[in-house]
Amino acid sequence: MVITTARLLGTLAFTLGVVAFGELVLGTPRLYTDTAQLVAGLVAATVCLAVGRDRAGIPRRWRLLSAGGLVVWSLNRVWWVVQDLAGADQPPHALTWAGLFVLPVCMLVGLLGAVHTRPRPVPTSPLRDQFALVIDSLLITGSVLALFWSVLPGSPALRGLDVVYLVYLIADLVLFTMVVLLLTTRPDSPAGRRPLRLVGSALLAFGVADTVRLLGGGPTWLEGLGHLLGPAFIAMAALSPNRVPAPQPDPEVLERDWFRLLLPYGPVVVTGVVLVVRTVAEGSLSPFEAYLGWLGLALVVTRQMITIVDNTVLFDRVATAQRRLRHQAYHDPLTGLANRALFRERLVLAIDAHQKRGTPVAVLFADLDDFKLINDTFGHAIGDRVLQAIGERMRAGVRAGDLVARLGGDEFAIVLDQGGVAVPAPRRRSPWRRRGDGMLRQRRYVLSAAGVRVSEAAFAGGAAVSPSWDASPVPASVDSPAPGSGSPLPGDAATDFDAAWEAEAETIGQRVLATLREPYLIDGRSVGVGVSIGLVTAEPGDKLTADLLLRRADAAMYAVKRRGKGELIRYTGPKDSGPHADLPQLLAGALSGGSPAAAGFDVHYQPIVRLSDGATVAVEALARWTDPVAGPVHPDVFVTMAERTGLVAAIDDFVLDRACADAARLAELYGRPIDVHVNVSAGRLAGQGVEESVRAALTRHRLEPARLIIEITETLRIPDLPCAASLVERLRGLGVRVALDDFGSGYNALAQLHAIPVDIVKLDSTLTDVDTSPERAGALCRSVLAICAELGITVVAEGLETEERAGAMAALGCPQGQGYLYGAPASLARLPGRSAP
């Protein structure tokens, strides 16, 4: 049943009619009044009981409490009816007096329960909130009583008043004050405020009736009306609909909690001022006023103590919430490790200490190898647990002061520093490094098994020397300093310290690597995860930024990926922090200008020969880059960077267009049409652009499609094998052949050979060392050759550098070969002349 204005007015009219009938017709006999109150109480109790049984929680509790209180209140009316019928005028029994206070106690418990449903600006203890509500109500009620007692002329003396009725009236006033406080200091939905307003109206009606009864001499009909309206309002409150969950209160409303704090002290201040004025004017206070003053003081002190406790708890919660929010803002929710934001802050502080005090700093950058396979095989739930286990192992593998962070996905990083360790002063750079003559310095990027480094050479008189990457194999060690690097003498203290720090950082990295290599036991399953780690250390006096140091570590990590994964490589690249040390920025600038050739890109060609007679049958087109300022950049370095930054398509398309353009000159050079092999990154096979680029290059340069061979490189995993197979079919439909490069290493394996219909397989150099390992390598090569022969696939052996190896591969039946034995990659102008057909 929904309480509407019409029903409320109807109830009031009915009650007034009952009172008017008794007053005007019957003369308001006591029997009639007591009987009407008995009926009203029983009806209200029945309504509360019936409605409360269908509710739950606090709405059920306060309705049942009200029903119990009204039943006892009605039994008290029964005693008076019996007295009226018997014509006796005996004083009330002690149980009758006690029964009067059952209803106020039930209403008090019900109102205290309402505290749980009223929203607060800040969550507090419900018990303290209830206690504070009672004290505030007592404080306001006492202040108002003292104020009226002092202000009203001829204030009645306490003697002669019925103490029971006085206490009953005070209880009504306290409960009514509690309702007012709940309504004024706790915002709520209209559905939640309606029953509280009706209960407040009931308490007001009871208070008016009890005031008339206490003072005596008032209109008896007003007392009867109050005792009839009280149960009626309680019944209507019980019939109110279910409390709809209130929407989030307006923040401006919630911020008004100060009103609740100040409201009890308003009457106290006013009453105190009045009492002080009376004391000054009359010289003394009455005992009642003094008692009320001391009572008010005690309540104020108690209320302040509760406020202090609330504030203390609030401050503790705010501090805890701030710590929790800070932890959430600076930590990864899955692993609990530091996130990128905290990692950057820590790295910035470490670099600042490095630049100001020479404190050593190093960064380890770890990337999990093929982690997507774990998610695809075992599911993301197992993958998440593996990431958590990896985070725990990384924390256990470093020192207590080091910071381990998860940068995102399967990338982790560690900040290593030596905070608090005395270090020598930064070493001075050699005088020759201060190029006062402004001569150009060229840097040479080298990727080796030990890392990426840069060597600097000064070229006198403007004579530039461009070392060729194709003239000799890549160095395998970087232990000795590059020419002109300006390294200090071996006995230098700073050098000794740097060497010790680099050794310690590398030891930590190797320990982390060994820890992460161990299998993970998840739900009885052994899960193995590979990891590639890049290490970079900063020298004293080296001016760095956090981004630059992280990019160096990232470059070293990707060098590991290029070299077969699962290892640690230390970055020993450019030690200056000038604008040209940022290789990704240089590469982006070279490829975004519209003409890679103008930015130093070129195409070199390496012969592919027929092993039976050594005749050149094809050439492989390879990208080379000589930056105008940085000098020659090793292909492994800039190709890795291009794949990392999404620029590899520009390099692929440049090489494709140049190779198709040079096909005619290659035919003239060799005296016959020569096949041209062009590399395409495996990561592009699932996207758009490859087929369009091939079509455009063939059409633009009028090259016969059969002369073009697209090589799928092994640097990245093919993201979508079915999509890649479809692309290969379309390319073969154009007449273009397709090859798998570096077969047997990286990602190119039998799965790709089975899924993708290729025409050529190029064996990686790790499988063609049949001269040094004839049994195992020979067995593997024979197996691959047999499989390819069954599938009609041509095999090219890579890495042939000696006659012995070439002869061994020819003896196994390999038809073609490629390597430095037949020629290093060279520009078109430097290629050798005609070879036997």
Side-chain angles (χ1 to χ4, degrees):
M1 178 179 179
V2 180
I3 303 300
T4 62
T5 304
R7 291 191 176 95
L8 181 61
L9 293 176
T11 302
L12 293 175
F14 178 78
T15 305
L16 290 174
V18 172
V19 173
F21 178 79
E23 179 72 18
L24 300 177
V25 178
L26 303 178
T28 318
R30 201 172 73 174
L31 176 62
Y32 174 80
T33 303
D34 292 338
T35 303
Q37 295 174 6
L38 171 62
V39 173
L42 291 177
V43 171
T46 303
V47 171
C48 291
L49 182 62
V51 176
R53 294 175 60 184
D54 297 332
R55 305 294 169 88
I58 294 178
R60 172 189 177 92
R61 190 179 306 134
W62 77 260
R63 284 174 171 86
L64 295 182
L65 285 171
S66 300
L70 287 170
V71 167
V72 176
W73 187 83
S74 300
L75 292 177
N76 185 275
R77 301 275 84 78
V78 170
W79 188 89
W80 290 107
V81 169
V82 172
Q83 291 292 317
D84 294 339
L85 292 175
D89 194 12
Q90 298 180 0
H93 194 271
L95 291 178
T96 304
W97 291 121
L100 288 175
F101 294 97
V102 173
L103 179 59
V105 171
C106 291
M107 299 300 293
L108 173 64
V109 175
L111 290 174
L112 292 179
V115 172
H116 294 273
T117 64
R118 318 296 287 184
R120 287 291 306 273
V122 179
T124 59
S125 169
L127 183 60
R128 283 201 305 271
D129 212 8
Q130 293 170 346
F131 193 44
L133 178 64
V134 173
I135 291 180
D136 289 345
S137 302
L138 291 174
L139 192 59
I140 294 175
T141 302
S143 301
V144 172
L145 287 177
L147 182 63
F148 276 95
W149 195 275
S150 302
V151 173
L152 292 179
S155 299
L158 289 178
R159 295 178 181 179
L161 294 180
D162 193 317
V163 177
V164 175
Y165 288 150
L166 177 61
V167 173
Y168 197 82
L169 174 61
I170 293 175
D172 290 339
L173 293 178
V174 171
L175 293 176
F176 179 76
T177 304
M178 290 177 64
V179 172
V180 173
L181 287 176
L182 288 173
L183 288 173
T184 55
T185 63
R186 302 290 197 281
D188 200 357
S189 64
R193 297 172 67 87
R194 185 180 297 114
L196 202 57
R197 290 196 189 100
L198 292 172
V199 169
S201 301
L203 292 172
L204 182 61
F206 280 126
V208 171
D210 294 336
T211 301
V212 173
R213 181 171 57 185
L214 175 66
L215 298 178
T220 57
W221 64 269
L222 188 58
E223 177 185 353
L225 178 63
H227 285 152
L228 288 177
L229 287 178
F233 281 127
I234 293 177
M236 285 190 291
L239 290 172
S240 298
N242 284 325
R243 177 179 179 270
V244 179
Q248 185 64 29
D250 187 355
E252 295 183 359
V253 176
L254 291 180
E255 289 176 359
R256 297 174 190 163
D257 197 46
W258 56 268
F259 180 72
R260 180 186 68 87
L261 297 175
L262 297 180
L263 182 61
Y265 301 106
V268 173
V269 172
V270 175
T271 303
V273 172
V274 172
L275 292 179
V276 169
V277 172
R278 284 199 60 179
T279 302
V280 173
E282 300 179 5
S284 63
L285 297 175
S286 66
F288 179 71
E289 293 171 339
Y291 292 148
L292 284 180
W294 283 110
L295 177 62
L297 180 61
L299 291 175
V300 168
V301 172
T302 305
R303 185 67 183 87
Q304 285 301 110
M305 293 176 63
I306 295 178
T307 302
I308 292 173
V309 172
D310 281 342
N311 290 338
T312 304
V313 173
L314 177 60
F315 291 148
D316 291 341
R317 289 182 176 178
V318 170
T320 302
Q322 288 178 340
R323 289 193 297 269
R324 183 172 60 252
L325 290 175
R326 178 175 177 80
H327 186 274
Q328 293 174 354
Y330 286 100
H331 289 82
D332 175 58
L334 178 63
T335 62
L337 300 175
N339 60 10
R340 185 179 291 272
L342 181 56
F343 173 83
R344 179 178 176 80
E345 285 191 9
R346 172 67 177 273
L347 186 56
V348 168
L349 292 176
I351 292 176
D352 184 65
H354 164 76
Q355 294 175 345
K356 292 181 179 179
R357 299 185 297 274
T359 304
V361 59
V363 172
L364 289 168
F365 191 95
D367 185 85
L368 305 182
D369 298 330
D370 306 328
F371 187 74
K372 185 177 184 299
L373 296 177
I374 294 179
N375 285 331
D376 294 342
T377 304
F378 300 104
H380 288 275
I382 296 296
D384 290 345
R385 294 178 61 182
V386 171
L387 289 174
Q388 292 171 346
I390 289 173
E392 294 174 359
R393 290 191 183 183
M394 294 186 74
R395 273 193 294 250
V398 299
R399 303 168 305 177
D402 298 329
L403 179 73
V404 182
R406 181 185 179 211
L407 302 185
D410 56 358
E411 293 181 345
F412 297 83
I414 303 174
V415 177
L416 308 175
D417 58 15
Q418 288 286 77
V421 178
V423 298
R427 65 171 180 252
R428 296 181 179 179
R429 297 186 180 271
S430 301
W432 66 268
R433 296 178 66 90
R434 303 187 186 97
R435 287 297 180 183
D437 55 359
M439 289 190 299
L440 178 67
R441 290 181 297 168
Q442 291 199 354
R443 287 188 290 259
R444 180 179 178 180
Y445 292 84
V446 181
L447 177 69
S448 67
V452 185
R453 76 176 182 193
V454 63
S455 62
E456 298 179 345
F459 302 98
V465 179
S466 298
S468 173
W469 294 111
D470 308 317
S472 61
V474 178
S477 174
V478 291
D479 294 336
S480 59
S485 61
S487 298
L489 296 175
D492 191 280
T495 304
D496 295 340
F497 186 87
D498 291 348
W501 166 242
E502 290 173 357
E504 181 180 359
E506 190 161 352
T507 300
I508 295 174
Q510 292 291 353
R511 184 167 64 240
V512 171
L513 180 64
T515 302
L516 297 181
R517 281 175 174 171
E518 295 296 326
Y520 301 84
L521 190 62
I522 308 293
D523 292 341
R525 302 175 180 177
S526 180
V527 181
V529 182
V531 62
S532 300
I533 301 179
L535 167 65
V536 60
T537 59
E539 295 182 359
D542 192 8
K543 295 182 179 179
L544 295 169
T545 63
D547 291 336
L548 180 58
L549 200 63
L550 185 60
R551 282 199 297 270
R552 289 180 178 179
D554 184 58
M557 183 275 298
Y558 266 88
V560 182
K561 298 283 189 182
R562 296 282 298 181
R563 293 292 173 176
K565 307 175 186 176
E567 297 294 340
L568 180 143
I569 283 183
R570 183 169 62 88
Y571 181 93
T572 53
K575 298 305 181 184
D576 67 299
S577 58
H580 306 309
D582 190 352
L583 185 57
Q585 185 176 0
L586 290 175
L587 182 62
L591 296 176
S592 61
S595 177
F601 275 92
D602 195 6
V603 176
H604 288 196
Y605 299 95
Q606 185 174 31
I608 299 174
V609 305
R610 191 166 49 233
L611 293 180
S612 60
D613 56 7
T616 301
V617 296
V619 293
E620 180 180 0
L622 300 169
R624 294 295 182 261
W625 181 34
T626 301
D627 185 78
V629 177
V633 183
H634 193 274
D636 283 343
V637 176
F638 72 76
V639 170
T640 299
M641 288 293 179
E643 289 177 334
R644 174 67 171 164
T645 56
L647 300 172
V648 71
I651 298 177
D652 289 348
D653 292 346
F654 167 73
V655 175
L656 174 63
D657 186 77
R658 176 67 66 85
C660 292
D662 291 343
R665 295 183 59 190
L666 287 168
E668 294 177 2
L669 182 64
Y670 288 100
R672 64 188 181 278
I674 292 294
D675 296 339
V676 180
H677 291 237
V678 177
N679 292 298
V680 172
S681 175
R684 298 183 60 198
L685 298 184
Q688 303 293 327
V690 175
E691 183 180 1
E692 290 77 4
S693 298
V694 171
R695 286 179 180 272
L698 292 175
T699 303
R700 183 163 48 249
H701 303 291
R702 300 178 181 178
L703 178 64
E704 183 181 351
R707 301 267 69 89
L708 179 62
I709 299 170
I710 298 297
E711 289 190 11
I712 302 173
T713 60
E714 53 81 31
T715 53
L716 293 176
R717 182 172 179 267
I718 298 176
D720 189 342
L721 277 178
C723 183
S726 176
L727 174 62
V728 170
E729 288 285 7
R730 294 196 301 273
L731 291 176
R732 297 181 71 198
L734 297 175
V736 176
R737 287 175 289 171
V738 178
L740 276 180
D741 191 17
D742 296 329
F743 183 81
S745 69
Y747 298 99
N748 283 343
L750 291 177
Q752 283 82 346
L753 188 61
H754 170 71
I756 301 176
V758 298
D759 304 281
I760 300 172
V761 163
K762 301 183 73 173
L763 290 181
D764 186 71
S765 59
T766 58
L767 296 180
T768 60
D769 56 347
V770 292
D771 55 333
T772 59
S773 180
E775 294 182 0
R776 296 183 61 84
L780 289 173
C781 286
R782 280 192 295 269
S783 300
V784 175
L785 288 169
I787 293 173
C788 292
E790 288 289 335
L791 297 175
I793 297 175
T794 303
V795 178
V796 178
E798 295 183 308
L800 301 184
E801 299 179 2
T802 63
E803 294 285 355
E804 292 77 8
R805 182 171 296 185
M809 290 303 301
L812 291 175
C814 183
Q816 298 178 11
Q818 178 182 359
Y820 278 84
L821 176 62
Y822 305 106
S827 62
L828 184 61
R830 296 174 56 191
L831 283 177
R834 296 172 181 264
S835 61

